[in-house]
Amino acid sequence: MIKFENVSKLYGSNAALSNVNLSIGKGEFVFLVGPSGAGKSTFIKLLLKEIEATEGKIFLGDLEVTNLPNRKIPVLRRNVGIVFQDFRLLPRKTVYENVAFAMNIIHASPRSIRRVVPQALSLVGISDKANKYPHELSAGEQQRVAIARSIINNPSVLIADEPTGNLDPDTAWEIMRLLVQINLRGTTIVMVTHAKEIVDKMEKRVIGIERGKIIRDDLRGAYKYHV
Amino acid sequence: MFRASAYSVKQACKQLIRNRNMCTASIFSITSMLLILGLFFILIVNINLLAQTAQSQFDTIQIYLEDDVGEEAIYEMQNEMETIYGVKEVTYIDKEEALVIMKKRWGDNGYLLDGLESNPFPNSLEIKVNKLEDADAVVSRIKGMDGIEDIKYYQSVVEKLLNITNFIQLAGMVLIVILIIISIVIVANTVKLTVAAREKEIGIMKYIGATNWFIRGPFFVEGIIIGIIGSGVSVAIIYFFYKKIIEAFSTQAFVMFSIGLVPHEFLINHLIWIFISLGVGIGSLGSILSMRKFLDT
Ligand SMILES: Nc1ncnc2c1ncn2[C@@H]1O[C@H](COP(=O)(O)OP(=O)(O)O)[C@@H](O)[C@H]1O
Ligand SMILES: [Mg+2]
């Protein structure tokens, strides 16, 4: 599903990523861990073509990201759901409208919007807040809306950049259960996180990055590598 | 395509209502710009019309004769004038005939001339020239003749009119270009305020996979709506006042001097399209310009 071939990203002489080789299969659930400044955000930005790789090739599904023309970037991003630590909801739209917006941009029919949006809202358990605005919701509720929006168009990959970073442990676990549920439907999930406890308990594949290099890749890993 | 447009129009309407004040300012600027443009347009078409009628009506030279010149002498003068190069024909109009002609021209007001004690009109000769340009040469040949009280001809008037038209056209053009630029800048700034307030939202939309045109759509439509309203208002204002002016001019004294104005139906039919295309052009260009910075990344 996701493939990095000898990918490097240089900022001047500083290598944010150097010579990364990596392959993530369809339906996998992967944690991306590492200290701050290791290159995790760079990895995501490259995948979304927010920045260009200095070297190497990146593939996402059928698309070769590294030679995708700029005007095709929207197509790439519709194939990838994204969830951020700070939720990034549209402040002037209601919960319902925020989720529907992702369908508006692919010119979905009003009819299918009316059918699919309530389903997504109920999947993330927030149907009763459909007409509220983001600022009227708790952090956990806002993250649920963001997740509903990210999966509404059935992306093959869901990328979550520290999705639990702003949440208390209980809420964080609720969000994790939601992600697992989405993963079970076949969506590949890549989650960047610092939450040691979550990574340890989930026992999923863990890819560790440090100073732009992959230092470990364990199929049923823990946050810290204990020798 | 249709869904995308429907979405844009809906969003644009929401934005317009949300930013009522700024939008009113933009509409006001477009309206005032178009009003000034309309004023020039009206001036130009009417002066053109005036120059045209003048040119066709005034290709004659009137020679007023002193009262003591006898018929004999007048016929002699007439023959002599007919030999001058450029002269087409020379007609003798005696004072009685002149009075009749004037009464006719005044139409319903002709009775005003009945009260006169004596006929104020002189005997005259009227020269028709082949070409208006020849009038000067003809007049200089006639000037020396005896018994002439006054010579009237309109070449200089017509030329002046044409000069004025040219000047107004040029000045109007320059002013209008300046005004168009100002209006574009004002609309651009209005839309830019909306856009700047939503810079973060635009970033989020891009992350979700919205194309630039999808993001631009509502702002684009917003600009177009501002343009259409602005042009509609100015057409309505001009229609109202020009009709009033025409009505005022067509009643009273003006008919006597046969001053013609371009009919308002004709004027509005032309103005409406010019205004709407200008309004829409300014509105859409303004909004696209204001978005450039936010989408080129
Ligand atoms: N725009 C940039 N310009 C220069 N250096 C950058 C830029 N973005 C990131 N970096 C550098 O690249 C490295 C990796 O950054 P990043 O991928 O954001 O790390 P992480 O997300 O793992 O904390 C860091 O050393 C950072 O300073
Ligand atoms: Mg980071």
Side-chain angles (χ1 to χ4, degrees), chain B residues 12 17-18 22 45-48 54 69 99 101 107 116 143 175 190 195 201 233 244 251 259 269 273 276-277 282-283:
Chain B
I17 293 167
R18 208 172 275 141
M22 280 313 294
V45 289
N46 278 302
I47 292 176
N48 264 334
V69 182
L99 184 63
I101 291 175
L116 295 172
K143 255 187 192 149
L175 193 67
T190 308
V195 178
E201 289 175 68
V233 170
K244 282 262 175 304
T251 47
I259 292 177
N269 281 344
W273 295 116
I276 286 181
S277 23
I282 291 170

Side-chain angles (χ1 to χ4, degrees), chain A residues 9-12 14-17 33-45 51 161-162 192 194 209 211-212:
Chain A
K9 174 67 189 177
L10 303 178
Y11 286 111
N14 175 26
L17 280 185
V33 301
S36 159
K40 305 181 298 291
S41 294
T42 303
F43 175 87
I44 291 178
K45 285 178 185 164
I51 54 175
D161 195 350
E162 301 198 34
V192 173
H194 285 120
I209 308 188
R211 274 177 256 108

Side-chain angles (χ1 to χ4, degrees), chain B residues 204-243:
Chain B
I204 297 171
M205 291 176 183
K206 281 175 135 185
Y207 261 118
I208 304 172
T211 58
N212 280 350
W213 268 108
F214 187 89
I215 296 170
R216 210 171 352 220
F219 298 100
F220 191 60
V221 174
E222 184 181 344
I224 290 179
I225 293 177
I226 289 175
I228 290 178
I229 296 179
S231 49
V233 170
S234 45
V235 168
I237 292 175
I238 287 181
Y239 180 85
F240 179 77
F241 282 103
Y242 193 67
K243 213 174 149 192

Side-chain angles (χ1 to χ4, degrees), chain A residues 1-2 24-30 155-158 179-180 182-190 204-205:
Chain A
M1 200 69 235
I2 298 171
I24 297 171
K26 188 165 166 42
E28 277 197 72
F29 196 125
V30 180
S156 43
V157 177
L158 177 60
L179 290 179
V180 168
I182 290 163
N183 179 237
L184 286 176
R185 304 191 321 168
T187 309
T188 309
I189 295 186
V190 179
K204 300 283 187 190
R205 179 175 172 190

Side-chain angles (χ1 to χ4, degrees), chain A residues 45 48 50 74 77-78 80 82 84 88-93 97 101-102 104-105 107-110 149, chain B residues 1 3-4 7 11 14 18 194 197-198 200-212 214-215:
Chain A
K45 285 178 185 164
L48 295 170
E50 203 179 321
R77 295 194 181 163
R78 290 168 196 178
V80 184
I82 315 158
F84 296 98
R88 301 201 190 174
L89 300 174
L90 298 166
R92 278 180 255 240
K93 291 186 189 291
E97 288 166 344
F101 181 78
N104 282 329
I105 64 171
H107 306 316
S109 72
R149 181 180 68 187
Chain B
M1 196 54 213
R3 265 174 216 145
Y7 173 84
Q11 292 300 317
K14 278 190 190 168
R18 208 172 275 141
T194 334
R198 314 177 117 218
K200 226 176 124 195
E201 289 175 68
I202 289 173
I204 297 171
M205 291 176 183
K206 281 175 135 185
Y207 261 118
I208 304 172
T211 58
N212 280 350
F214 187 89
I215 296 170

Side-chain angles (χ1 to χ4, degrees), chain B residues 32-274:
Chain B
S32 18
M33 190 233 84
L34 289 176
L35 283 180
I36 295 173
L37 173 72
L39 201 67
F40 271 93
F41 189 83
I42 289 171
L43 268 179
I44 289 168
V45 289
N46 278 302
I47 292 176
N48 264 334
L49 182 76
L50 196 59
Q52 264 172 31
T53 34
Q55 206 152 12
S56 63
Q57 264 174 25
F58 300 148
D59 57 348
T60 58
I61 302 167
Q62 316 283 339
I63 299 143
Y64 299 119
L65 302 170
E66 286 166 3
D67 275 346
D68 56 5
V69 182
E71 293 237 321
E72 245 356 84
I74 293 175
Y75 288 129
E76 223 166 85
M77 287 172 90
Q78 187 177 6
N79 286 337
E80 199 183 332
M81 286 174 189
E82 270 168 353
T83 64
I84 298 174
Y85 175 79
V87 173
K88 199 163 146 199
E89 57 177 332
V90 183
T91 328
Y92 172 45
I93 300 166
D94 66 26
K95 40 171 59 193
E96 276 72 37
E97 209 179 330
L99 184 63
V100 172
I101 291 175
M102 198 41 86
K103 271 189 180 172
K104 214 189 255 166
R105 190 180 291 174
W106 283 25
D108 289 344
N109 297 314
Y111 67 89
L112 291 172
L113 295 171
D114 291 341
L116 295 172
E117 272 174 29
S118 64
N119 184 349
F121 294 100
N123 293 318
S124 67
L125 287 168
E126 189 180 275
I127 298 181
K128 266 201 160 40
V129 289
N130 287 323
K131 279 184 275 165
L132 194 66
E133 294 95 277
D134 296 335
D136 266 334
V138 173
V139 168
S140 68
R141 294 279 301 276
I142 296 168
K143 255 187 192 149
M145 293 182 174
D146 285 334
I148 294 179
E149 193 181 281
D150 198 10
I151 302 177
K152 277 211 156 60
Y153 75 116
Y154 295 94
Q155 185 182 9
S156 56
V157 177
V158 172
E159 271 171 0
K160 260 183 207 138
L161 272 177
L162 290 174
N163 282 341
I164 291 173
T165 320
N166 286 341
F167 175 75
I168 291 182
Q169 255 165 3
L170 192 74
M173 222 70 107
V174 172
L175 193 67
I176 284 161
V177 168
I178 295 172
L179 288 171
I180 286 179
I181 294 172
I182 292 175
S183 302
I184 290 177
V185 170
I186 291 177
V187 175
N189 277 312
T190 308
V191 177
K192 197 182 268 169
L193 282 179
T194 334
V195 178
R198 314 177 117 218
E199 200 173 354
K200 226 176 124 195
E201 289 175 68
I202 289 173
I204 297 171
M205 291 176 183
K206 281 175 135 185
Y207 261 118
I208 304 172
T211 58
N212 280 350
W213 268 108
F214 187 89
I215 296 170
R216 210 171 352 220
F219 298 100
F220 191 60
V221 174
E222 184 181 344
I224 290 179
I225 293 177
I226 289 175
I228 290 178
I229 296 179
S231 49
V233 170
S234 45
V235 168
I237 292 175
I238 287 181
Y239 180 85
F240 179 77
F241 282 103
Y242 193 67
K243 213 174 149 192
K244 282 262 175 304
I245 289 172
I246 293 243
E247 280 163 12
F249 269 57
S250 61
T251 47
Q252 314 208 336
F254 297 96
V255 184
M256 292 195 301
F257 307 118
S258 63
I259 292 177
L261 283 177
V262 175
H264 66 276
E265 294 90 353
F266 169 86
L267 190 92
I268 292 300
N269 281 344
H270 281 73
L271 269 191
I272 223 168
W273 295 116
I274 298 175

